[in-house]
Amino acid sequence: MNRSITAALAAAALLAPAAASAQTPRDAVSILVRNDSVGFDPHRVTGRGAAEVLFMMTDTLVALEDDQKTLHPLLAKSWTISPDGLTYTFHLRDDVRFCSGKALTADDVVYSLTRLTAPETRSPAAWRAGKVKSIAAKDAHTVEYVLERPYNELLLQLAQSFGAIIDKDDVEKLGRDFGVKGLNGTGPFCWGEWKPRSEFVLNRHDAYRWGPKVYENAGPAHVARVVWKVVPEETSIVAAMQTGAGDVTYVAPEWAIEQLKKDPRLTLAMPRVSNYSAFLGMRVNKEMTGDVRVRRAIVHAIDRDELNKRFWFGQAKTSETYVSPGTLDWSGEVKASYDPEAANRLLDEAGWTKGPDGFRSKDGKRLAPKLVAAGTPGWRTRGEAIQGYLKRVGIDLQLLLPEPALAMAQINTSPDYDMYALFAPYGTSGEALMVFHSRSIPAPNRVNWKDAETDAQLDAGQVALNDADRARAYARVQRIIAENAVTVPLVHEQLFLFSNKQRVTGVKAHGIYNSAIYKGLDMKLAAR
């Protein structure tokens, strides 16, 4: 380890007990994360910060293995699909209880999935439910889910946190405070106390007995409490893990990964598949990024290999495509390249000319797009590097770095920016690409991409009843997105889940929505 990192760790060690809580209760496991969520309504909040907690507090009809494709029963003990792919019949367990003690029935499932798809909910995840014709309870423990057209990824999507089954009475009682002051779920842990931007305490659901077969333990959980702790400082997270002030983390900074791997006190777990891609989205309806030549120039101006080496310390995989290689239906036909000469040529063609200061202007207006990114140390340094790359070709990038918990809200609602930086968690190419459908505007289609061919191919991919037709449709969408430079691929991150073996055992890594812990049913406090 170099001296600067050693010094940083030494200084951070002094902060670790306060930042990561050396006073975590003895019957609890502390999980260190860098960012909090703005809330925990599964139908309205789409960030990983919400999903990682919702997977513990709620259940879905089906569960997903860490290969991102193998399904298991969860709330539904079995299901059937009609030959035409339109009707799904779910047979529910009859022994499930919410944290309140209320028995789960088909009415709860109907309410939850109807709320997800209802226009008044305005859920950015509604597309994940397919084109729904009806969702109905056939009896107390049978749900019939009818589509207007086939959707080959329906079960995979219903396994995500957006498919969480919630309690209607709880939603109506809490109103706007649902997911803020409480949530009554059927998961292995129950809502305890949320202190925004600080910590979230979850208490064991003692009646839980229906965990998925991805775990040895079906429930209840071995640990009495889980405490999610928000620790924005990277060095504090590293020091907390190395001093025993923290039990589990999967957000360790890349500069510390090799050091943590060598620490004999820590255990490393990685999922079989985890897609979490860093990218820049470019809003095609804005003056600064509306011209495809400008967008292509930005793609060519950024040295992704250097970004990976300098700011991900080589622990990520450099992106050449928006979708990660190896993902189901990845094509890789059109790849991004670093080519500053091509960038300059494209900007010249677009009529943006360099002035004496080296920056480009047209019609008296400076080429100065605004980029919104979370104000974390990572995005701040990466943003400054990207700012430097673009400066070389005459683009005066302006960085907007709001507080991390507010960044997503600004990206989703503010009209006053041209580009944004995000991570995209996904399981399949179809899931990753569906954000570009025009019906997904304004979110998750934050780039405002409206293209009839894109929509047609996405629809064709969704309804395809064989692998070849689905792959062909999604390959076409990948080509369209790349040729029109709608995004700037940066890196595909890897998921490293570290746990303190002196405090906790049985920590398994799961790549679903890159949330790592999933249900946490096999976690145990280490013997003392």
Side-chain angles (χ1 to χ4, degrees):
M1 183 185 297
N2 64 43
R3 292 182 180 179
S4 61
I5 293 178
T6 302
L9 288 177
L14 299 176
L15 300 174
S21 179
Q23 293 140 5
T24 299
R26 292 179 64 86
D27 63 351
V29 169
S30 64
I31 304 174
L32 310 185
V33 293
R34 289 208 292 265
N35 302 317
D36 201 358
S37 177
V38 295
F40 297 90
D41 183 331
H43 303 150
R44 291 192 166 115
V45 185
T46 61
R48 182 179 71 173
E52 59 195 5
V53 178
L54 284 166
F55 281 126
M56 285 188 156
M57 290 196 297
T58 66
D59 287 320
T60 51
L61 289 173
V62 296
L64 192 62
E65 277 193 28
D66 71 329
D67 63 359
Q68 300 293 329
K69 62 182 180 181
T70 303
L71 293 160
H72 291 279
L74 188 48
L75 295 181
K77 62 183 179 182
S78 64
W79 57 89
T80 59
I81 307 172
S82 62
D84 60 7
L86 295 177
T87 302
Y88 291 68
T89 303
F90 296 97
H91 303 282
L92 307 180
R93 298 179 63 113
D94 60 6
D95 59 347
V96 177
R97 297 289 185 272
F98 285 93
C99 284
S100 65
K102 172 185 172 181
L104 173 79
T105 69
D107 289 338
D108 297 301
V109 175
V110 172
Y111 170 76
S112 300
L113 299 181
T114 299
R115 182 176 184 265
L116 168 64
T117 58
E120 57 268 25
T121 304
R122 301 179 68 181
S123 173
W127 65 268
R128 295 173 180 269
K131 191 71 173 176
V132 176
K133 182 176 181 180
S134 64
I135 306 173
K138 307 307 289 183
D139 59 44
H141 295 99
T142 307
V143 174
E144 185 179 77
Y145 193 115
V146 183
L147 297 168
E148 292 185 4
R149 60 190 182 202
Y151 180 28
N152 48 53
E153 292 190 10
L154 177 63
L155 293 176
L156 294 174
Q157 296 303 328
L158 291 182
Q160 299 291 338
S161 62
F162 316 106
I165 305 307
I166 54 179
D167 175 12
K168 177 183 178 180
D169 296 338
D170 185 50
V171 177
E172 293 179 346
K173 178 182 70 175
L174 291 173
R176 292 186 178 183
D177 287 331
F178 173 69
V180 176
K181 292 187 177 179
L183 182 152
N184 187 30
T186 67
F189 293 91
C190 302
W191 187 293
E193 182 182 15
W194 179 36
K195 298 177 181 177
R197 306 179 197 177
S198 177
E199 67 177 30
F200 198 152
V201 178
L202 303 180
N203 299 317
R204 180 171 56 206
H205 185 181
D206 289 330
Y208 195 86
R209 298 289 190 282
W210 46 90
K213 291 190 180 298
V214 298
Y215 292 103
E216 297 174 13
N217 175 34
H222 294 303
V223 297
R225 281 184 282 180
V226 170
V227 183
W228 292 84
K229 292 186 172 293
V230 180
V231 186
E233 300 82 8
E234 293 180 344
T235 49
S236 293
I237 286 180
V238 175
M241 291 303 298
Q242 293 196 315
T243 61
D247 297 331
V248 179
T249 192
Y250 56 96
V251 296
E254 288 77 11
W255 53 260
I257 295 298
E258 291 303 319
Q259 180 69 14
L260 294 177
K261 285 180 180 179
K262 298 173 184 177
D263 193 321
R265 296 164 294 188
L266 303 179
T267 299
L268 169 64
M270 298 180 71
R272 284 180 285 175
V273 176
S274 177
N275 293 328
Y276 197 55
S277 301
F279 71 99
L280 306 182
M282 294 193 275
R283 304 178 87 181
V284 300
N285 62 328
K286 303 294 286 185
E287 182 181 8
M288 294 289 165
T289 47
D291 190 325
V292 66
R293 293 169 295 186
V294 173
R295 298 198 300 272
R296 287 175 179 165
I298 291 172
V299 172
H300 285 310
I302 297 173
D303 188 340
R304 283 165 290 280
D305 279 330
E306 187 177 66
L307 272 179
N308 185 10
K309 292 174 184 175
R310 289 180 57 195
F311 301 104
W312 276 273
F313 291 79
Q315 298 295 335
K317 299 176 181 178
T318 301
S319 300
E320 294 178 310
T321 54
Y322 176 73
V323 178
S324 177
T327 303
L328 180 66
D329 297 326
W330 174 80
S331 70
E333 293 179 16
V334 181
K335 298 180 180 179
S337 63
Y338 174 54
D339 190 344
E341 291 184 8
N344 278 306
R345 193 163 54 246
L346 285 162
L347 293 170
D348 289 340
E349 291 174 7
W352 293 93
T353 58
K354 282 188 177 181
D357 60 358
F359 289 113
R360 294 177 180 270
S361 299
K362 181 167 68 173
D363 300 328
K365 184 168 290 186
R366 194 183 187 95
L367 183 54
K370 297 177 181 177
L371 170 69
V372 178
T376 61
W379 274 124
R380 186 176 299 278
T381 55
R382 296 165 199 150
E384 290 169 352
I386 292 168
Q387 191 177 48
Y389 293 133
L390 297 189
K391 180 178 180 180
R392 296 175 191 173
V393 298
I395 300 175
D396 187 15
L397 183 67
Q398 306 297 301
L399 296 179
L400 306 176
L401 300 168
E403 196 270 331
L406 302 177
M408 183 58 74
Q410 185 165 334
I411 289 171
N412 282 341
T413 61
S414 173
D416 190 29
Y417 71 90
D418 310 284
M419 303 166 59
Y420 61 88
L422 278 182
F423 288 97
Y426 53 91
T428 67
S429 293
E431 180 182 349
L433 296 169
M434 198 54 61
V435 300
F436 300 111
H437 201 293
S438 63
R439 65 171 172 257
S440 297
I441 295 171
N445 187 345
R446 303 171 183 91
V447 295
N448 292 289
W449 180 247
K450 297 179 183 180
D451 176 65
E453 177 67 6
T454 299
D455 289 354
Q457 293 300 328
L458 286 172
D459 291 340
Q462 277 196 335
V463 304
L465 296 179
N466 64 74
D467 294 346
D469 288 346
R470 186 192 64 236
R472 188 179 305 111
Y474 290 145
R476 176 60 182 149
V477 176
Q478 289 171 72
R479 173 174 285 277
I480 292 170
I481 296 304
E483 289 179 342
N484 287 276
V486 178
T487 68
V488 184
L490 297 177
V491 302
H492 305 299
E493 286 199 350
Q494 300 187 84
L495 193 156
F496 304 95
L497 176 60
F498 291 98
S499 57
N500 188 322
K501 65 179 65 174
Q502 297 175 327
R503 275 277 302 171
V504 62
T505 63
V507 182
K508 295 182 177 179
H510 200 299
I512 186 168
Y513 214 67
N514 215 56
S515 293
I517 308 297
Y518 197 32
K519 301 294 178 184
L521 282 165
D522 287 343
M523 289 194 304
K524 294 181 180 179
L525 291 173
R528 296 178 183 277

